[in-house]
Amino acid sequence: EFERHTLCSRLELDFTAMSPLAQLMLALPPLPDSCTEYVWVALCACALGVALGWHLSRALVVPFDADRYFAITDPDEKLLRGALEMCDRIRDHTTRCYFKGRIREMVRLQPICDETEFVKMSKDLHAEVDDCLHFGTCFRHAGPSVKWDISRLPKGPLGIVAGAEVVMDITRIHRVLVKLSRRYGKVFPMQLEGNPLWVVVSGAKEAKAIFHDNGATVSSRTFGQAHLLTHTDFPAGNFLRCPFSEDLKKRRKVVWSEALSKQKVEMFRPILEKCRHLSVRAFLLAAEKGVPFNPRPYLRMAYCNTLACILFGIFFTDVDDPEFKRVYEFVDDEANEPLVGEADIFPALRHTPLYGRKAERMKKIRARQDSWLQEQIQVRQRHLAAGGEPQTLCDLMLNTMTSACPGQRLSYENVKEICNEIIFAGTDTTATTTETVLAHLLNNPSKAEKLRAELDGLCGESQRMPLPEDYDKLKYTNAAIREAMRMTCAVPMNSHTCTADTEVLGYRIPKGAMVINNIYAVHYDPDIYPDPESYLPERWLDKNPNHWAVENDFEFMPFGIGRRLCLGYNLALENLQLFISSLFLSFEFASADGKPVSMKEHSEFTVSIPAFKVRATVRESTVVGRELDHFRALPSMELAMLGGSVPAREAGAPSTSISRSVVTPMEKWAIWYASQTGTAEGLSHALARLAAHRGVECVVRNLETARGASARALCPDGESKAIFVVSTFGNGEPSDSAADFFECISAAQASAVDALPFAVFGLGNSSYEHYNAAAKQLDKRLEQLGGLRLEGIPLGLGDAAKDIDGAFDDWAEVLVNAHAPQQAVDFTEKLGESPPPSARSASASSSWKLLWQPDIKEKQEVMPAQPSLKRRTTRISELARTSTTAKLHSIKELAKQPDVCGSVVEVTLDLGEATYKTGDTIGVFPCNDSELVDLFGALLNQPLDTTFTLAPCTDSASLELPFACPTTLREVLSNTLDIVGKPSRRLVAELAGFCGDAADREALALLASPAGRAEWEELAQQRRLSLLELFLRFRSLAAVPLVTFLEIVPQMRLKPRYYTASSSPAVVGGSRVTLTLKVVRDRLLEINDRRSAPLGGVSSTFLASALAGDPVRVFVQPSNFALPSDSQVPVVMVGAGTGLAPFRGFLQERQALADAGCKLGEATLFFGCTRSDTDFICEEELSEYLRTGVLTKLVTAFSREDPQKKFYVQHRIGEHSAAVLSAVHERDGHFYVCGSIAMGRAVKEALVSVLATNLPQAEAAEFVADMVKAGRFVQELWA
């Protein structure tokens, strides 16, 4: 009569959630009659024992009989009984349950504990309960007084006693959580007694909503912190070896930006290649022995070698190297003590003798690690103290200890902890990843053959090893690495603390809860990865396997913690790609016993697979097989200054030294620029060239490289003055590159820049509300900190709405004439009096020589070998480098009468692997019109399609290429130089001296001089003179040497154009985006008396004339121009003309939400244009949205339909003030504006006026300001 359901019902157990063994025992069929009832009772007892043993995690459903337990197990009964009685007097329910759980655990653990130790633990527990009862504090539990509000969380396994199901499979806890997610869902709460509330997240979309969209409140990393019990004085967090205090997170960011970002790790490539040689050598020597070997120590040596050399400049020559064995022992010992770290999660484990012994052992391991680290750090300290240049990452960190900027300063302990994290955590994670790649490929020979075929095709014929520039071509190799990282995740889950009550996905996650991101569950989600248990690198080939940036979709997180928290992520990728490709190119690997390698996971330092042995055979056709002696030998172990450009002093950042002076330098200035689009950088270099004519050598630096806010930091090389050229963007913020410096100088103490001579020039736009705010802030702050303003040099303000170049030229002329050491001259006249081209050579004023390719013999110049040159890095070049190539899908005309009002088109692009969100900004790199490029090439009388490169005229290490070389003139004119952009007066002055015609030379000199200001403004501002038109107007400019012409590129670089996406990926697809733009063709270019060509916007013309399938270089920039997260919040949208673009995307997204069953709040659109019959774009589309209820109200303003009065959107807002007031003031709606700056200003004033009908005027203005701060009033405006 003991049927399965009866037994489960009586025991309150869920049969479907039982262990397989328990299910087997409870599902036994009826026994034969020959079995006695005693046998049946015995089997039932076994089943009951297994079920209860497996399900002690749900033991709260079984009443706790203290008398029964204590009568059997308590050697000192009064201690635990007394503690239990005191528990009943504790008022807080959570704390009471916590201590009762501890008592229950003590009872369970008594049989496996030493009696003396058990009595000691009983006394300790009794004392803890007593302290909590009398002092209201639980000293070893961070959250006993917290009552978790789980009313708005799904059902989950609460009240679990640690030690049963979860503890039995603790080495694979991520798998246990996957099992639980199948029962409770992809988001569920879970609580082990004595622990904070867990919220386990097992889905990509859910993780994105919680960790990314709510990153402000769910961002603090908690794993390994002492939020649970702390065992004696053993430091928490040793399991993961990652320090996660807020202070150290900031310090790690400093190290990231200085040395471990994607761009900075390139300076370590020479070290990587030396270590690659050592690794290949180790595998070669092992292979030549002809016996199977365990690859793990060899792989650990490979990565430990790299990290040890990067950190401390030491190499390990072999796995038998005594120093490597010492370090390997640290990693191996720590990897074999997982119980210590797991006790941070399961406090019960802390009461076992095994934990105590392991904890003591871990203390000794950590002590040996610290001793070794201190030895290495002291060696680097002695090197720096002796005046040595920085050669290692440790050197860079030690230099920051004396930084004048508190935000960039590291303590000695910071340095030691970061070194510890990099070398020990980095060694194990990368070695484990490589080991799993090797194992998967051994188990899948066909995949290994595909990988080798790719490597052979790339490196076989050239008989070389893979190089960093090959990474983008190793698609299958990268796919194989990705797939291995997916299947065997080194860090399969991470956790974060919720710092405030958070509403997300309809749930309410309480403050203090620990939110667990189960990455393993996502990596095995069949909806994302079909057939997830199979190793299929091919699944990545359609997802751009070369794109390693960690995306915010949370579908793939290599190394678990992603780019922002994994300090060595970029370095690890460089390591993996270089070493894996090199090893598989050079060797054939086979399993030692011919059997598949076991992929069963277990937890050591990270999740790994069991050790295995391989046989390795050298591939004779490869470079290793052909040059065995070379690879058997040790490489050179000499260290050089990092990247050849890393400074030894506090502020000696990579710089561009302008030394092309006409006279001998008598003084040195530091010029710092903060540039968002490159204009400030160009002006800084122009000032340096002008000052060079007056005996001043200038060093131009980016403010992001400043190492503090002190006089020494701002004049690091003995400069006498500091000049700042600073741009403002957004709502008065400094450029991205200067954000850290502005934070640093804001926090600087009084007299930080005492007696520093300085001058500031700002770049801004008076059309915007916060005109030149960054420059004004910097100028004021420098004066407050004791800086001395250069006499007679006020704060310079350049206005992009007027003549920014003219303002800068005037300011620079005063600066140079007043403070340069030689006689004052008018620099424009000085440049204008240059001799004709016949009397000068290009190299006289140029830092470069032009080298044509060998196919043009007569023009090739013989140059000595030059060191490798860096390409000048600007914000634009960085955007270009990280851009993706989209394809034009279609173009659709939106204007009703384009011949009357101008063309407005919808451009649809296929982004490929790039993704975007509704409201994001799409940056487009346009190309100049090919006909105009041909025309410019003809004017220059230079070959357009002949390859050339630039070589330096001097051996200056500070020179940087103005663009990528080798290249062609067509490439430069098409994609790099803004040939239809407006040249500056300063540029005109520089080019004037090269005119072959005296009349042209005089005319240009006059334009560039103060006397020609009026004529220049008429040409530049009213007629919008372009560079191409300048060369057409003054044909003798063709005499300018090509190398000199190419040097103007940094001053007139073709900048990207920005468009707000006018689509929602939820409707058009995640890889497709539409742009809504007006095609600007508003003037004619007069080529000659008989020929002219239309001239207009570079980008709109480029896009409108493109054909389907044409490539377009684009990038995505996240924007705060987004719908509220709550779809029921009212929204008011105001747009004029193409300002409708983002609202088309908004309405598409609202349509998708409505289709998904979401309730929508009111949506009102104010739209303005000139006439309803000419440029009312998307009328039918908006009417359909009105019909379906996606758009609640459409209010139009046609400015030219009524001849008596012009109506604009701001007027319509006043007419509908009641609706606007209700939406914005009464129901906390969001207000969006997109259009011109003038329109945006008028709309803001109209909104204040509407609010003033219900509030005092001052309060109405303050209300709008508060809306801006809260993100409820958002504007997307353009000049």
Side-chain angles (χ1 to χ4, degrees), residues 170-171 173 221 223-225 234-244 331 333-345 350 355 362 366 420 424-425 428 490-493 602-607:
I170 192 170
T171 61
I173 185 174
R221 184 73 193 277
F223 232 46
Q225 288 185 342
F234 181 69
N238 278 282
F239 175 51
L240 287 180
R241 306 300 310 122
C242 295
F244 290 114
V331 179
D333 284 346
E334 192 162 3
N336 285 300
E337 305 297 342
L339 185 63
V340 174
E342 287 152 2
D344 272 342
I345 308 171
R350 297 181 181 275
Y355 172 83
M362 279 298 296
R366 181 61 191 272
N420 183 60
F424 296 120
D428 195 69
V491 182
M493 58 185 231
H602 64 284
S603 292
E604 289 186 351
F605 185 77
T606 54
V607 171

Side-chain angles (χ1 to χ4, degrees), residues 588-829:
E588 293 278 0
F589 293 102
S591 173
D593 54 7
K595 297 178 181 179
V597 176
S598 171
M599 302 303 296
K600 183 178 181 181
E601 301 168 348
H602 64 284
S603 292
E604 289 186 351
F605 185 77
T606 54
V607 171
S608 59
I609 60 176
F612 59 93
K613 290 188 176 184
V614 298
R615 293 181 183 274
T617 306
V618 178
R619 301 182 71 208
E620 295 181 358
S621 60
T622 64
V623 63
V624 174
R626 293 176 180 270
E627 300 181 20
L628 290 173
D629 290 339
H630 169 74
F631 284 96
R632 290 189 188 111
L634 291 173
S636 168
M637 302 299 181
E638 295 180 2
L639 284 180
M641 182 177 168
L642 280 179
S645 60
V646 179
R649 293 176 296 278
E650 176 185 287
S655 61
T656 302
S657 176
I658 305 297
S659 58
R660 295 180 294 157
S661 52
V662 175
V663 294
T664 303
M666 298 173 62
E667 191 174 344
K668 196 173 184 179
W669 293 356
I671 302 180
W672 297 93
Y673 68 86
S675 185
Q676 190 71 13
T677 62
T679 305
E681 180 190 8
L683 294 179
S684 298
H685 285 280
L687 175 60
R689 286 192 295 273
L690 298 173
H693 284 276
R694 301 289 310 284
V696 179
E697 180 184 359
C698 296
V699 183
V700 181
R701 299 182 179 89
N702 193 328
L703 260 179
E704 71 177 345
T705 65
R707 298 300 193 271
S710 66
R712 180 189 172 197
L714 295 174
C715 291
D717 293 328
E719 297 93 341
S720 60
K721 298 174 180 62
I723 315 298
F724 299 86
V725 184
V726 180
S727 63
T728 298
F729 84 109
N731 291 316
E733 296 96 358
S735 66
D736 293 340
S737 62
D740 289 342
F741 174 76
F742 270 71
E743 181 180 345
C744 181
I745 201 168
S746 298
Q749 298 180 352
S751 303
V753 295
D754 195 29
L756 171 71
F758 76 91
V760 179
F761 184 86
L763 290 78
N765 190 319
S766 58
S767 303
Y768 288 89
E769 183 177 356
H770 303 283
Y771 172 56
N772 260 313
K776 294 174 182 177
Q777 177 188 346
L778 176 61
D779 184 76
K780 181 179 179 180
R781 187 59 179 157
L782 286 170
E783 200 165 42
Q784 290 174 343
L785 297 177
L788 300 177
R789 185 186 309 281
L790 292 177
E791 185 178 354
I793 310 300
L795 169 65
L797 299 178
D799 187 358
K802 298 177 182 177
D803 182 10
I804 199 168
D805 292 308
F808 178 79
D809 289 345
D810 292 344
W811 181 85
E813 181 178 359
V814 174
L815 171 67
V816 171
N817 283 340
H819 294 279
Q822 296 195 1
Q823 181 181 1
V825 296
D826 177 26
F827 64 79
T828 54
E829 293 179 3

